[in-house]
Amino acid sequence: MSSSSLNTVLSTRISSVVNTNNNRVRTQPFLNPASVSFTARRLTVRAQETDAKEVKSQAPDKAPAASGSSFNQLLGIKGASQETNKWKIRLQLTKPVTWPPLVWGVVCGAAASGNFHWNLEDVAKSILCMMMSGPCLTGYTQTINDWYDREIDAINEPYRPIPSGAISENEVITQIWVLLLAGLGIAGILDVWAGHNFPVVLYLALGGSLLSYIYSAPPLKLKQNGWIGNFALGASYISLPWWAGQALFGTLTPDIIVLTLLYSIAGLGIAIVNDFKSVEGDRAMGLQSLPVAFGAETAKWICVGAIDITQLSVAGYLLGAGKPLYALALLGLIIPQVFLQFKYFLKDPVKYDVKYQASAQPFLVLGLLVTALATSH
């Protein structure tokens, strides 16, 4: 199929998806991030000649509206049912299933500080920091990512809220700004509450928000590069909430910054897991995710290698630092992850992506806490 005919087919399919809601009034957004046009609707496909024949024009049948799950819809994961309630749709855009790693990162940072105490004030601070990291700033990140992925989602997941027209442009843009400003406002409150002379939590929130924007938005759109984009995503999910939690209760030190950035390589591996389900759209849009660049077979080994080698390196670091019990505990948490990789992910990374992450990631995040406790002693 030629590139021109492919454009025609995809444009026709996307127009039919967008126009399914006949009652929807087209409006222009009133809050636009700088230098971005939100009115473009036409999809331009930039497929390399070598890949053009591999792109299918039919969207994968992953979530038929009739059999979709309401629970999946609330979590913001594939297999979701179609929903008309705007608040449920807004929640879906924030992908609550992605919040726990950020919340856990705050816990690890607080534990690593060595200054967290189980009293009302410290618990309240930590909960507010979790709200900043999870629902607000992660919700902002996921919503803006869905906005800039609307053309890819029209190919891969046309039933999602934005490409299906279930939520208007103005409503999406408003949600992006409300979540961003709420997260930054909470960060400022936390700095005042902690008595910081320098607003370190606010600067971390600003840095993370900027990283989220350039990850999804042109012209940089870091996600176009599988290595840079996935490491940026891993750092956002592991390093940033850890830094916020540690800065809130203690001092953020250079050795912790280096250690958590190293751990973010494991986050890179986790990010690759999500790339397998989007190969068709990524290839059509010219995004060089690792499954597109290297092929699924090579990419899945890069994925598990990044996850396992990183954790083994951290275990070696803890052993060298004279903390053998923590090193052994971390090693004990790596073993079931490797088992689950062979049982699910390496067999079929598309079919078993959710099952693998649900079963393996708890061991990874427990390993983060082990490392945090080790650094606090």
Side-chain angles (χ1 to χ4, degrees):
M1 182 179 292
S2 67
S3 296
S4 60
S5 60
L6 177 60
N7 284 343
T8 302
V9 173
L10 291 178
S11 298
T12 302
R13 285 183 55 77
I14 292 167
S15 297
S16 66
V17 171
V18 172
N19 292 326
T20 52
N21 187 349
N22 293 327
N23 296 324
R24 179 172 175 238
V25 179
R26 290 188 54 128
T27 56
Q28 299 297 327
F30 61 93
L31 286 172
N32 289 357
S35 303
V36 180
S37 172
F38 291 104
T39 59
R41 282 287 184 189
R42 187 161 56 92
L43 171 63
T44 301
V45 179
R46 298 185 180 92
Q48 296 180 358
E49 292 183 3
T50 55
D51 294 333
K53 293 182 180 180
E54 300 176 20
V55 180
K56 300 177 182 178
S57 61
Q58 299 297 320
D61 186 17
K62 296 175 183 174
S67 60
S69 165
S70 298
F71 183 68
N72 287 11
Q73 188 274 330
L74 293 175
L75 290 180
I77 59 179
K78 69 181 182 181
S81 62
Q82 295 284 20
E83 183 57 67
T84 57
N85 183 289
K86 281 296 171 66
W87 288 107
K88 289 184 178 180
I89 292 171
R90 289 185 181 281
L91 183 64
Q92 180 180 359
L93 285 175
T94 67
K95 292 188 179 70
V97 73
T98 64
W99 300 352
L102 282 293
V103 170
W104 190 256
V106 173
V107 172
C108 292
S113 72
N115 293 322
F116 177 85
H117 303 94
W118 286 100
N119 56 48
L120 182 60
E121 182 178 8
D122 282 3
V123 170
K125 281 182 187 177
S126 63
I127 291 174
L128 195 58
C129 192
M130 291 173 188
M131 290 178 61
M132 174 196 75
S133 300
C136 292
L137 294 184
T138 304
Y140 152 79
T141 298
Q142 296 297 342
T143 305
I144 200 171
N145 185 65
D146 265 24
W147 173 258
Y148 284 107
D149 274 1
R150 61 194 185 278
E151 293 177 346
I152 296 177
D153 286 343
I155 300 171
N156 291 321
E157 301 173 285
Y159 50 83
R160 289 196 59 77
I162 296 175
S164 70
I167 187 168
S168 72
E169 295 179 1
N170 275 346
E171 288 169 326
V172 175
I173 302 305
T174 300
Q175 175 162 320
I176 289 170
W177 278 107
V178 167
L179 292 172
L180 173 62
L181 295 176
L184 296 179
I186 292 174
I189 291 171
L190 289 172
D191 278 317
V192 173
W193 196 349
H196 291 157
N197 294 322
F198 179 80
V200 60
V201 179
L202 176 59
Y203 272 80
L204 287 172
L206 283 168
S209 302
L210 177 61
L211 184 62
S212 298
Y213 179 79
I214 65 175
Y215 173 81
S216 299
L220 293 180
K221 203 174 181 72
L222 298 181
K223 67 185 299 178
Q224 293 181 115
N225 183 293
W227 294 108
I228 297 174
N230 285 333
F231 182 77
L233 193 61
S236 298
Y237 273 73
I238 293 177
S239 298
L240 284 173
W242 182 315
W243 295 351
Q246 184 154 352
L248 182 61
F249 293 102
T251 302
L252 188 57
T253 57
D255 59 323
I256 289 296
I257 292 175
V258 172
L259 182 62
T260 51
L261 285 175
L262 174 62
Y263 234 123
S264 296
I265 298 174
L268 178 151
I270 295 170
I272 297 172
V273 175
N274 296 315
D275 289 337
F276 286 91
K277 69 178 184 295
S278 304
V279 169
E280 181 181 336
D282 289 349
R283 184 181 290 120
M285 297 301 296
L287 300 184
Q288 289 299 302
S289 67
L290 295 188
V292 171
F294 293 97
E297 191 65 26
T298 300
K300 69 184 184 182
W301 286 102
I302 294 174
C303 174
V304 299
I307 294 171
D308 298 341
I309 293 172
T310 297
Q311 293 179 91
L312 289 170
S313 299
V314 173
Y317 165 79
L318 295 178
L319 184 63
K323 299 175 181 179
L325 293 180
Y326 289 103
L328 286 173
L330 183 55
L331 182 61
L333 292 167
I334 297 171
I335 293 171
Q337 293 178 62
V338 174
F339 170 77
L340 292 165
Q341 287 162 2
F342 279 94
K343 182 177 180 181
Y344 294 123
F345 183 73
L346 291 173
K347 283 185 178 179
D348 190 334
V350 177
K351 181 179 180 180
Y352 295 118
D353 61 337
V354 174
K355 184 174 288 188
Y356 163 68
Q357 293 197 75
S359 58
Q361 281 198 26
F363 295 102
L364 186 141
V365 298
L366 284 173
L368 280 170
L369 182 59
V370 168
T371 305
L373 292 171
T375 59
S376 69
H377 292 85

